[in-house]
Amino acid sequence: MSDTQQKTIYLKDYTVPEFLISHTTLHFNLSADDTVVRSKLSIQRNPACKKASPNLTLMGEDLELISIAIDGQELSSEDYTLNEQTLTITQSADEFILEISNRINPVSNTALSGLYESKKMLCTQCEAEGFRRITWYLDRPDVMSVFDVTMEADINLYPVLLSNGNRADSGTLDNNKHWVSWQDPFPKPSYLFALVAGDLACLTDSFTTCSNQHVKLEVYVEEHDLDKTQHAMQSLKNAMRWDEEAFGREYDLDVYMIVAVSHFNMGAMENKGLNVFNTKYVLASEKTATDTDFENIEAVIGHEYFHNWSGNRVTCRDWFQLSLKEGFTVFRDQQFTAHQTSNAVKRIKDVNMLRTHQFAEDAGPLSHPIRPDSFVEINNFYTLTIYEKGAEVVRMLHTLLGNAGFRKGCDLYFERHDGQAVTTDDFVKALEDANDTDFTQFKNWYKQAGTPVVDVSTEYNANEKTYTLTFEQHCPVTPGQATKDNFLIPISIGLLDESGQEIPLGDGQTTVVLALTDSEQRFTFDNINAKPTPSILRSFSAPIQLNHALPIAQKIHLFQHDSDTFNRWEAGQNTLSQLIFDSVEAIQNKQTLPSLPDALIEAFRSILQQPLNDLAYQALLLSLPSKAYLAEQMIVIDIDALYQAHHAVKKALSAALSPLWLSNYNAYHQVDAGITAQDIAQRSFKNLCLDYLMAQQDAATVTLCTAQFDAAQNMTDQIAALSQLNHTESPQSAPYFDAFYQQWQTEDLVIDKWFALQACSEKSNALDDVKRLLQHPDFDMKTPNRVRSVISTFAMANPLHFNAADGSGYAFIADNIIALDAINPQVAARLANSLSRWKKLDTQRQQLVKQQLSRIQSQTPLSKDVLEIVTRSLAA
């Protein structure tokens, strides 16, 4: 068994810090293998703490102590106690200056937390608890301090020296060294500290705020990537302007910096004024980045910028409040992307991801509320629940208050708590106070785990011309929560008549929001002249599982006519899902597959013959539900039957509408297309047509696909063609993969795509290919992006082979979790999540997964990151 200590931390045990740090002065003598850190901390006892202790306990990890002094007097070893995680100093004074010198080794820090080396650059990642790997400190988010930072380093190795805030001074030293100092005037917790040192090129620009403040904008990358930074810079300016207009938030420093780093455990980090980014979310050119990459870069840059207020100026009191900043900021970046692109498309993409992945998390052994009650390792709680479900909870508040009321509440929140570390209760209280309302029941969303289930039944009374909807809510049992209180659930609804027209519902509105608060509740609409078709949960107004048994004819009616863009798409998805599951049942019973309804084919035909203004939305309307989403709807996942059924329905739609797929493909295929919103939408629709055509696997379509690959002048079209060839058993796909590699072998992010495509191949020998990829010269287990592109992609995006009946997929992932744990526990723990949903599998596969989980659990040593995930998964 592992000897890793599993100490559980509970929200109920929170106490205010005994000491505070008003001012932090740091000096770094930087070197890849021998960095010396000197800290000077102005410390005071916290008057809000009733506990009087003579001891000051600081957190530290992997640090070599050089010296300690208080008020200029050096301490002896008798004056303090040092262990692997804490430094405890006996100190009775109420106010004093503490000076510490210590040594760290960035090059050996493969965990990528604290100060580490990425290629030849030194950089930091301090969220959640990485600062304690830099120096001993009160490393908790409710201890906020003003930081002054000075760095000195070899001017040839590290000509660029960056930290938070504004540049204060710089100069040269002997021995070919130089120094730069930085001052951040805004108090911040240590998790927002950042440092970057390297030989970097910089794209510069500027932004003038709404109060005419001139802000320098700087994007730092390696020299050879400088030509891929224009989109990132424009995205930053777009985000700054949008935040002023939508939320009234203005930037507050003289400079805003972004640095792209090759080795990064996350997507990006919002350090005050100095955002450190995974290169994946900065670098883009039309040749090397897909349309999705362009959109994601703008979204992530917006997300980190929006944190300047929702996370930095107002931060979280403790890590149980993580969704306070992350859920709120995801909501803000979703609104931003919807404004920049297509509101309909953005909403569908967000909900699709939520229901496919976060709902699965909610239904599994790793389920937790968006404000958890406890944790062992906080890094394991950077989850879809915290981020995506957290955003949905904020969205519900926006729905209930309306745009004006929500904005008023946010204004009060920022004004009331500027410069403070607060809680989710403080956020909700600001919204309540600004709108004179009560959200007591609504706060159940913060403290209860699981996805609420809402069952709907309807009744039409022709004599009284009334239409009644009855809602029943309940929430399944989740770990540690056997019973649940009722949620306050906003349900947006509309009614359609037989011709597909919207029926007015009070005050002439065609959409109303119902507040479901009881376990059972009835709502009646008057003056309904004929039985309508209900459109329920418009815009996906709440993150619930809605059960409503509509006949397939009514689903198709909504698919043809619903004015709500989300519910129109949803009706089509429900129809297609039902047809696929009918086919699964036929396959399991060895029966003839059912044919597609003529009405559905005609609905598809109508959309293909009359293109919409938003071609990206049209592509989503005509897309099949993903296999991952469908698998989560099954009580027991039959992955083989699901793949067969999914392909059968796609092939039937392909054959029935083949001339239209081809004519639309030809109409929207432009080799030299640009990156405007219209260009991107056309590519999205065109490549959907190619996807349907390739379901036939005939020679003419394969030729069409290879021709697209050969002629492609943008990465989206090239990858779309290559992904189609990826699933063919024919050996003719291999030369295209070789050609792609030869063309892009010097572009790391493009080679990540090359790896990922092969890792999710449906070909029979996919696992053998993946194992060979691990031996490829370009694969590096110490690079998180490369690990994610191969190993994580296989686990998360190749359910067919990951769930191989012989357990080989599970064993492969377990092997790599064990190997990764010794290098980077955070990445290993995220990979371990893939083994947590074993109860959805058949009995044989359940046993195979549990064997691998037990094997991982038995490893010694094993990080607490992985041990927590494995232990909770086995406890299901």
Short mmCIF file of all heavy atoms in Angstrom, two decimals, residues 358-379:
data_model
loop_
_atom_site.label_atom_id
_atom_site.label_comp_id
_atom_site.label_asym_id
_atom_site.label_seq_id
_atom_site.Cartn_x
_atom_site.Cartn_y
_atom_site.Cartn_z
N GLN A 358 -19.37 17.06 -17.41
CA GLN A 358 -19.63 17.43 -16.02
C GLN A 358 -20.76 16.62 -15.42
O GLN A 358 -20.69 16.23 -14.25
CB GLN A 358 -19.95 18.94 -15.92
CG GLN A 358 -19.94 19.48 -14.50
CD GLN A 358 -21.18 19.16 -13.70
OE1 GLN A 358 -22.30 19.22 -14.23
NE2 GLN A 358 -21.02 18.82 -12.43
N PHE A 359 -21.79 16.34 -16.20
CA PHE A 359 -22.87 15.48 -15.68
C PHE A 359 -22.32 14.11 -15.28
O PHE A 359 -22.75 13.51 -14.30
CB PHE A 359 -23.98 15.32 -16.72
CG PHE A 359 -24.97 16.47 -16.73
CD1 PHE A 359 -24.65 17.71 -16.21
CD2 PHE A 359 -26.23 16.29 -17.27
CE1 PHE A 359 -25.57 18.76 -16.23
CE2 PHE A 359 -27.17 17.33 -17.29
CZ PHE A 359 -26.83 18.57 -16.78
N ALA A 360 -21.36 13.61 -16.07
CA ALA A 360 -20.73 12.33 -15.72
C ALA A 360 -19.97 12.45 -14.41
O ALA A 360 -20.00 11.54 -13.57
CB ALA A 360 -19.79 11.90 -16.85
N GLU A 361 -19.29 13.56 -14.22
CA GLU A 361 -18.59 13.80 -12.95
C GLU A 361 -19.59 13.86 -11.80
O GLU A 361 -19.36 13.27 -10.73
CB GLU A 361 -17.82 15.12 -13.06
CG GLU A 361 -16.91 15.44 -11.90
CD GLU A 361 -16.04 16.64 -12.23
OE1 GLU A 361 -14.98 16.46 -12.86
OE2 GLU A 361 -16.43 17.78 -11.88
N ASP A 362 -20.70 14.53 -12.00
CA ASP A 362 -21.75 14.63 -10.98
C ASP A 362 -22.33 13.27 -10.61
O ASP A 362 -22.77 13.07 -9.48
CB ASP A 362 -22.90 15.52 -11.50
CG ASP A 362 -22.97 16.85 -10.77
OD1 ASP A 362 -22.26 17.04 -9.77
OD2 ASP A 362 -23.75 17.71 -11.21
N ALA A 363 -22.36 12.35 -11.57
CA ALA A 363 -22.99 11.05 -11.35
C ALA A 363 -22.00 9.99 -10.88
O ALA A 363 -22.39 8.84 -10.67
CB ALA A 363 -23.67 10.58 -12.63
N GLY A 364 -20.74 10.35 -10.72
CA GLY A 364 -19.71 9.37 -10.39
C GLY A 364 -19.17 9.52 -8.98
O GLY A 364 -19.63 10.35 -8.19
N PRO A 365 -18.15 8.75 -8.66
CA PRO A 365 -17.58 8.77 -7.30
C PRO A 365 -16.82 10.04 -6.97
O PRO A 365 -16.54 10.30 -5.80
CB PRO A 365 -16.63 7.56 -7.32
CG PRO A 365 -16.27 7.39 -8.76
CD PRO A 365 -17.49 7.75 -9.52
N LEU A 366 -16.48 10.85 -7.97
CA LEU A 366 -15.75 12.09 -7.73
C LEU A 366 -16.69 13.29 -7.63
O LEU A 366 -16.25 14.44 -7.62
CB LEU A 366 -14.73 12.33 -8.84
CG LEU A 366 -13.74 11.19 -9.08
CD1 LEU A 366 -12.74 11.56 -10.17
CD2 LEU A 366 -13.00 10.82 -7.81
N SER A 367 -18.00 13.03 -7.54
CA SER A 367 -18.98 14.10 -7.44
C SER A 367 -18.74 14.96 -6.20
O SER A 367 -18.41 14.45 -5.12
CB SER A 367 -20.39 13.50 -7.38
OG SER A 367 -21.37 14.49 -7.21
N HIS A 368 -18.91 16.26 -6.36
CA HIS A 368 -18.76 17.18 -5.22
C HIS A 368 -19.54 18.45 -5.52
O HIS A 368 -19.79 18.77 -6.68
CB HIS A 368 -17.29 17.50 -4.97
CG HIS A 368 -16.60 18.16 -6.14
ND1 HIS A 368 -16.61 19.52 -6.34
CD2 HIS A 368 -15.91 17.65 -7.19
CE1 HIS A 368 -15.94 19.81 -7.44
NE2 HIS A 368 -15.51 18.70 -7.98
N PRO A 369 -19.95 19.20 -4.50
CA PRO A 369 -20.64 20.47 -4.75
C PRO A 369 -19.68 21.49 -5.35
O PRO A 369 -18.46 21.33 -5.29
CB PRO A 369 -21.08 20.91 -3.35
CG PRO A 369 -20.90 19.72 -2.47
CD PRO A 369 -19.82 18.90 -3.07
N ILE A 370 -20.23 22.56 -5.92
CA ILE A 370 -19.35 23.60 -6.45
C ILE A 370 -18.65 24.36 -5.33
O ILE A 370 -17.65 25.03 -5.56
CB ILE A 370 -20.08 24.58 -7.40
CG1 ILE A 370 -21.14 25.40 -6.67
CG2 ILE A 370 -20.68 23.85 -8.58
CD1 ILE A 370 -21.69 26.51 -7.52
N ARG A 371 -19.16 24.23 -4.10
CA ARG A 371 -18.40 24.65 -2.92
C ARG A 371 -18.20 23.39 -2.08
O ARG A 371 -19.04 23.03 -1.28
CB ARG A 371 -19.15 25.71 -2.12
CG ARG A 371 -18.31 26.31 -0.98
CD ARG A 371 -19.12 27.24 -0.11
NE ARG A 371 -20.22 26.54 0.54
CZ ARG A 371 -21.29 27.15 1.05
NH1 ARG A 371 -21.41 28.46 0.96
NH2 ARG A 371 -22.24 26.44 1.63
N PRO A 372 -17.07 22.71 -2.27
CA PRO A 372 -16.85 21.42 -1.59
C PRO A 372 -16.85 21.57 -0.07
O PRO A 372 -16.55 22.63 0.47
CB PRO A 372 -15.48 20.98 -2.10
CG PRO A 372 -15.24 21.78 -3.34
CD PRO A 372 -15.95 23.08 -3.14
N ASP A 373 -17.15 20.47 0.60
CA ASP A 373 -17.10 20.44 2.07
C ASP A 373 -15.71 20.04 2.55
O ASP A 373 -15.34 20.36 3.69
CB ASP A 373 -18.12 19.43 2.61
CG ASP A 373 -19.55 19.82 2.27
OD1 ASP A 373 -19.86 21.02 2.35
OD2 ASP A 373 -20.34 18.93 1.90
N SER A 374 -14.96 19.31 1.71
CA SER A 374 -13.65 18.82 2.14
C SER A 374 -12.81 18.47 0.93
O SER A 374 -13.32 18.30 -0.18
CB SER A 374 -13.80 17.59 3.05
OG SER A 374 -14.37 16.51 2.31
N PHE A 375 -11.50 18.37 1.15
CA PHE A 375 -10.61 17.86 0.12
C PHE A 375 -9.34 17.35 0.78
O PHE A 375 -9.01 17.71 1.91
CB PHE A 375 -10.28 18.92 -0.94
CG PHE A 375 -9.60 20.16 -0.44
CD1 PHE A 375 -8.24 20.17 -0.15
CD2 PHE A 375 -10.30 21.35 -0.27
CE1 PHE A 375 -7.60 21.31 0.30
CE2 PHE A 375 -9.68 22.50 0.18
CZ PHE A 375 -8.33 22.49 0.48
N VAL A 376 -8.63 16.49 0.05
CA VAL A 376 -7.31 16.03 0.47
C VAL A 376 -6.25 16.82 -0.27
O VAL A 376 -5.32 17.34 0.32
CB VAL A 376 -7.15 14.52 0.22
CG1 VAL A 376 -5.71 14.07 0.49
CG2 VAL A 376 -8.11 13.73 1.09
N GLU A 377 -6.41 16.93 -1.59
CA GLU A 377 -5.47 17.66 -2.44
C GLU A 377 -6.27 18.67 -3.26
O GLU A 377 -7.08 18.28 -4.09
CB GLU A 377 -4.70 16.70 -3.34
CG GLU A 377 -3.86 17.37 -4.41
CD GLU A 377 -2.94 18.44 -3.85
OE1 GLU A 377 -2.08 18.11 -3.01
OE2 GLU A 377 -3.09 19.62 -4.25
N ILE A 378 -6.03 19.95 -3.04
CA ILE A 378 -6.84 20.98 -3.69
C ILE A 378 -6.68 20.94 -5.21
O ILE A 378 -7.61 21.26 -5.95
CB ILE A 378 -6.51 22.39 -3.15
CG1 ILE A 378 -7.41 23.44 -3.80
CG2 ILE A 378 -5.05 22.73 -3.33
CD1 ILE A 378 -8.90 23.19 -3.66
N ASN A 379 -5.53 20.50 -5.72
CA ASN A 379 -5.36 20.44 -7.17
C ASN A 379 -6.37 19.52 -7.84
O ASN A 379 -6.65 19.65 -9.03
CB ASN A 379 -3.93 19.99 -7.52
CG ASN A 379 -2.90 21.07 -7.23
OD1 ASN A 379 -3.13 22.24 -7.48
ND2 ASN A 379 -1.78 20.67 -6.65
#
